[in-house]
Amino acid sequence: MSEDYCTIREATPPPKADGPPYAECVLCQKPTEYPESYKGITLCAVCEWQEAQRTACSG
């Protein structure tokens, strides 16, 4: 295997919204910085950071 065990492939983030309406976070339902029209999973900055902490390699 040529990739490290802890290598994470970066997903393309949704485009930033120019203004309201904003998409809701799929975890806490707070507004995100992404447009409401974006199709896919959107996370607010706090949940995005927490998810990154959970999935980070600890070893």
Side-chain angles (χ1 to χ4, degrees), residues 32-58:
T32 66
E33 55 192 19
Y34 306 116
E36 192 174 65
S37 61
Y38 178 74
K39 303 293 185 218
I41 296 172
T42 54
L43 298 172
C44 68
V46 172
C47 290
E48 195 170 303
W49 181 82
Q50 289 174 340
E51 187 65 23
Q53 292 297 310
R54 279 192 288 272
T55 59
C57 182
S58 62

Side-chain angles (χ1 to χ4, degrees), residues 2-49:
S2 64
E3 291 186 33
D4 231 1
Y5 176 77
C6 294
T7 299
I8 297 173
R9 291 190 182 129
E10 291 288 325
T12 304
K16 304 277 190 226
D18 292 331
Y22 299 108
E24 289 183 349
C25 175
V26 296
L27 298 177
C28 70
Q29 285 69 51
K30 290 184 180 175
T32 66
E33 55 192 19
Y34 306 116
E36 192 174 65
S37 61
Y38 178 74
K39 303 293 185 218
I41 296 172
T42 54
L43 298 172
C44 68
V46 172
C47 290
E48 195 170 303
W49 181 82

